Amino acid sequence: MTTKVRYHRPGDIVFAALVAVSIVLIVFVTLYPIFFVAIASISQPQLVQGGQVWFFPRGINWFGYEQILGDQRIWTGYRNTIVYTVLGTAVNMLVTIPAAYALSRREFAARRPLMFFFAFTMFFNGGLIPTYLLYRDLNLLDNMWVFILPSALNVYNLIIARAFYENSIPEELHEAATLDGSDEFRFFFTIAIPLSKAILSVIMLYYLVQHWNDFFTGLVFIRDYAKQPLQIVLRDILISNTAFAGGAGGAGGTGGGYGQQYADQIKYGVIIVSSLPVIMLYPFLQKYFEKGVMIGSVKG
Amino acid sequence: MAVALETKVATTPPARTRSPWPQRLRQHLSRRWQLWVMLAPAIVATAVFAYAPMYGIQLAFREFDFEAGLTGGDWVGLKYFRQFFDSPQFWQLMRNTVLISVTTLVVGFFAPIGLALLVNQVVGPRRKRFSQTATYLPHFISIVVIVGMLQVFLSPSTGLITRVMEWFGVSGINFLGDPKAFIPVYVISEVWQHCGWNSIIYLAALSNVDTQLYEAAKIDGASRFQIIRNVDLPSLVPTMVILFILTMGGVLNTGFEKIFLMQNTLNLPISEVISTYVYKIGIIGNQFSYSTAIGLFNTLINFAFLVGANQLAKRLANTSLW
């Protein structure tokens, strides 16, 4: 937009240079740590710790990844998280999208009180302990459904989807369909859904990431380690420093496993392995995620 | 992000004589039942998982009774609130919570605005887009991984950041253990992770600025800095107000997960906040009534700040959430 406006004054040129330098610096500071984790995960740990790895991996080896892939906890955590994410997102979509559509119908007299009913929960909640006791009464403790049902509706996503339906589905379309004898169900499935693929992707990606990164639920509501999601396993490896492969009974046969210097390499590897799905989605994510923020910002 | 809670729509013109409500209700349901069906799962989920726990708040005023569960046993009034106010932890928890959240709010509020103004100055749509996309990548990394990265990067002996800091003559600091380092580490890593993401909404607002304003400013001989100050910045004000209200609503909602994961015995004097304390004495220590009371205290303060900020914005900027 601003390309038409040209700047020639010396002050403006200095300014432009400052902008360029700062932005390059910011982008570098943002991306470099992630890049470093990636190269450190395949470099000789001694070289990493000695400060000799900066921009290229050195002493390439896959020891870290071999250890990670040989660890049962990672596999269990991965499997659990995939199950919770897929099921959870499916439930999220079934709950959120029809509700958002219904709330977008202007002739629906109950929409404002209902919107308040939903939005109020964004700012006021029962708190941790009543929630915990309720889940206990509902038999949700140590139950995989605790990852899926309580988070069935994210009000923020509901608002985004509603804003989209409100602003993007022409009222005339609805009127015409109604005249042709279409009811709300039919309009929703045959017209609203196909027209809203973009927003469906946005909301779905939001939910996917939310489930994938969920750490709190496992921490508070799950005791049984076999049901713990990836994030809890990650916590144990990355932060609590629990011993890795062979730790349980020393099955490794290498006599106590690996030396301490490999612990860091394994951590770097675990970061990559656990973030890989999101990183691979990123090219798709970035297009849609921004769209979600924009739609959400459209004031109704 | 503007929570558009309502849209002003012309309601149906009031009939001269309104029919009695049961009849109107029946009419409404017979015409709109399909919409209610579509809303039913969301209503049920919200009622059960958001409103039912609110019913359990009464536990804060009652003795916990294992049999009774959510509703609790005998009334004890404000006993547990008094216990909290009188406890030796009260002032420490309040100080830590306020300190951490206010610092995060202030820095986390202004940093994205600065970044958006900066990215907006990048010439060329592709370069602009790249800087935007690159800066919000960390937003998608899980908190566990962020704290894990902090641990390896800040390790006193081998950490990458520790080493870089030594170039600048800063050495011998244990960033993860030193209580003085806790808040800077927490806040800077928050900004690193979320600044780019939070700037998207401001960039969107900037892309909607009328280009004629730039032309006019240019003709008036404004420098680029003056244009930022007098054209770009004012156009962000409405968005800033809405986001300000929303952040105020979370003033004591310090990120439980991240603080909890960053805690260790060395930094506990500064890193113990209300939410982590509630978790420890409630879930770990089973003091259900006491921790419910503390949690309620926290929620009420948040709510008061939200309402207060909303009133303030209404008065000063004529914008509000409701």
Side-chain angles (χ1 to χ4, degrees):
Chain A
M1 318 298 156
T2 52
T3 38
K4 265 203 214 158
V5 186
R6 295 245 172 268
Y7 299 92
H8 299 293
R9 284 186 290 184
D12 285 335
I13 292 165
V14 171
F15 186 85
L18 275 177
V19 166
V21 170
S22 347
I23 206 79
V24 166
L25 217 82
I26 289 174
V27 169
F28 178 78
V29 166
T30 313
L31 296 184
Y32 182 70
I34 300 167
F35 174 74
F36 182 82
V37 169
I39 57 171
S41 72
I42 52 170
S43 295
Q44 193 69 39
Q46 290 87 341
L47 295 174
V48 177
Q49 285 167 6
Q52 300 187 51
V53 173
W54 289 105
F55 293 101
F56 300 99
R58 292 182 61 185
I60 294 182
N61 73 92
W62 302 90
F63 180 82
Y65 287 106
E66 280 161 20
Q67 293 292 315
I68 293 164
L69 296 183
D71 190 87
Q72 192 52 46
R73 290 176 304 171
I74 293 271
W75 288 106
T76 313
Y78 232 97
R79 192 204 57 210
N80 287 342
T81 289
I82 290 174
V83 171
Y84 304 153
T85 302
V86 170
L87 258 176
T89 307
V91 170
N92 288 144
M93 297 304 280
L94 289 174
V95 171
T96 309
I97 300 303
Y101 170 79
L103 288 171
S104 78
R105 297 302 329 144
R106 284 162 215 276
E107 72 277 9
F108 186 44
R111 70 200 287 258
R112 282 190 60 180
L114 277 172
M115 211 51 228
F116 181 80
F117 170 79
F118 291 118
F120 184 70
T121 64
M122 291 173 88
F123 304 109
F124 198 84
N125 58 64
L128 179 64
I129 304 302
T131 307
Y132 180 83
L133 292 173
L134 175 74
Y135 291 3
R136 195 188 66 180
D137 292 347
L138 294 174
N139 248 331
L140 282 171
L141 297 188
D142 251 342
N143 182 336
M144 66 168 274
W145 290 96
V146 78
F147 290 97
I148 294 153
L149 297 179
S151 54
L153 180 74
N154 178 316
V155 177
Y156 180 63
N157 291 345
L158 178 76
I159 291 172
I160 295 177
R162 186 195 69 140
F164 177 86
Y165 283 123
E166 241 166 38
N167 300 319
S168 309
I169 308 267
E171 201 49 45
E172 296 75 34
L173 205 60
H174 190 262
E175 277 164 26
T178 313
L179 282 180
D180 287 344
S182 163
D183 58 14
E184 292 290 0
F185 285 164
R186 232 178 84 193
F187 185 79
F188 176 66
F189 284 112
T190 58
I191 297 173
I193 291 267
L195 280 179
S196 58
K197 282 192 193 115
I199 193 67
L200 294 184
S201 331
V202 172
I203 304 280
M204 198 169 83
L205 289 170
Y206 277 164
Y207 277 131
L208 278 175
V209 174
Q210 180 189 320
H211 284 292
W212 190 267
N213 288 343
D214 183 9
F215 162 74
F216 185 79
T217 311
L219 176 75
V220 178
F221 303 115
I222 300 290
R223 292 279 163 274
D224 181 359
Y225 207 82
K227 291 183 184 131
Q228 288 291 16
L230 186 61
Q231 297 300 330
I232 294 286
V233 177
L234 277 179
R235 194 264 311 247
D236 292 344
I237 296 167
L238 285 175
I239 298 164
S240 311
N241 269 318
T242 11
F244 215 77
T254 41
Y258 48 86
Q260 180 55 39
Q261 74 262 32
Y262 287 102
D264 274 358
Q265 190 187 14
I266 287 173
K267 286 185 184 178
Y268 292 124
V270 164
I271 290 174
I272 297 295
V273 167
S274 65
S275 311
L276 205 60
V278 181
I279 293 173
M280 286 193 312
L281 275 175
Y282 199 65
F284 305 97
L285 294 178
Q286 52 104 349
K287 186 168 100 203
Y288 287 123
F289 270 125
E290 279 172 38
K291 207 176 262 171
V293 176
M294 314 283 195
I295 294 167
S297 69
V298 175
K299 208 163 179 251
Chain B
M1 198 132 334
V3 181
L5 301 186
E6 64 220 48
T7 314
K8 277 171 194 94
V9 187
T11 39
T12 42
R16 237 160 287 137
T17 49
R18 302 188 85 178
S19 40
W21 71 266
Q23 196 186 330
R24 272 186 292 141
L25 183 67
R26 226 175 301 130
Q27 217 173 38
H28 171 80
L29 286 180
S30 79
R31 267 201 306 199
R32 309 283 181 230
W33 67 273
Q34 291 188 326
L35 294 177
W36 282 103
V37 169
M38 295 167 104
L39 275 159
I43 293 174
V44 171
T46 308
V48 172
F49 295 113
Y51 283 93
M54 289 184 206
Y55 180 67
I57 285 177
Q58 52 180 296
L59 199 58
F61 307 97
R62 287 172 182 267
E63 216 57 79
F64 178 69
D65 178 342
F66 196 83
E67 295 298 311
L70 204 55
T71 48
D74 297 332
W75 285 100
V76 292
L78 296 175
K79 173 182 160 192
Y80 286 109
F81 290 92
R82 269 194 218 107
Q83 187 183 332
F84 179 50
F85 299 145
D86 293 340
S87 77
Q89 285 93 355
F90 177 73
W91 286 111
Q92 192 199 10
L93 285 175
M94 282 306 287
R95 187 202 62 193
N96 292 352
T97 310
V98 169
L99 217 58
I100 295 176
S101 56
V102 168
T103 323
T104 316
L105 287 192
V106 171
V107 181
F109 183 77
F110 289 106
I113 299 172
L115 181 66
L117 291 171
L118 191 67
V119 171
N120 196 49
Q121 292 300 317
V122 173
V123 182
R126 287 184 64 189
R127 263 178 286 177
K128 190 188 266 185
R129 197 171 167 71
F130 174 77
S131 9
Q132 193 188 351
T133 313
T135 47
Y136 70 75
L137 188 130
H139 178 77
F140 301 103
I141 300 175
S142 80
I143 291 173
V144 180
V145 167
I146 293 283
V147 179
M149 282 169 73
L150 283 177
Q151 295 217 342
V152 279
F153 286 155
L154 293 173
S155 151
S157 48
T158 57
L160 176 75
I161 297 178
T162 318
R163 222 178 300 131
V164 172
M165 294 298 276
E166 275 164 11
W167 296 347
F168 297 99
V170 185
S171 62
I173 301 180
N174 176 5
F175 289 102
L176 298 164
D178 190 343
K180 277 204 285 294
F182 183 83
I183 293 179
V185 169
Y186 180 85
V187 173
I188 292 171
S189 58
E190 275 299 290
V191 170
W192 180 77
Q193 190 181 6
H194 299 297
C195 185
W197 178 254
N198 292 333
S199 72
I200 296 177
I201 190 162
Y202 290 113
L203 271 167
L206 285 174
S207 69
N208 288 332
V209 175
D210 191 346
T211 41
Q212 286 180 11
L213 286 176
Y214 291 119
E215 306 283 352
K218 183 77 212 319
I219 290 162
D220 288 347
S223 71
R224 286 180 76 164
F225 186 72
Q226 284 172 318
I227 292 181
I228 292 181
R229 249 194 61 193
N230 300 311
V231 180
D232 286 349
L233 205 53
S235 72
L236 296 181
V237 169
T239 316
M240 282 164 64
V241 173
I242 291 287
L243 290 187
F244 172 74
I245 304 172
L246 284 174
T247 8
M248 284 310 272
V251 80
L252 292 194
N253 273 355
T254 41
F256 165 80
E257 298 179 26
K258 190 162 159 200
I259 294 180
F260 179 72
L261 289 167
M262 282 176 70
Q263 278 180 348
N264 55 44
T265 40
L266 293 174
N267 65 26
L268 213 53
I270 194 82
S271 65
E272 189 79 291
V273 295
I274 295 179
S275 56
T276 54
Y277 189 67
V278 167
Y279 170 77
K280 282 174 195 166
I281 63 162
I283 303 292
I284 309 282
N286 284 324
Q287 299 188 54
F288 288 139
S289 290
Y290 185 37
S291 46
T292 306
I294 303 174
L296 178 58
F297 171 73
N298 193 18
T299 312
L300 287 178
I301 291 193
N302 274 339
F303 204 67
F305 269 98
L306 175 75
V307 174
N310 197 46
Q311 290 307 112
L312 194 73
K314 223 180 218 170
R315 187 97 39 94
L316 297 181
N318 225 353
T319 323
S320 82
L321 282 184
W322 57 80

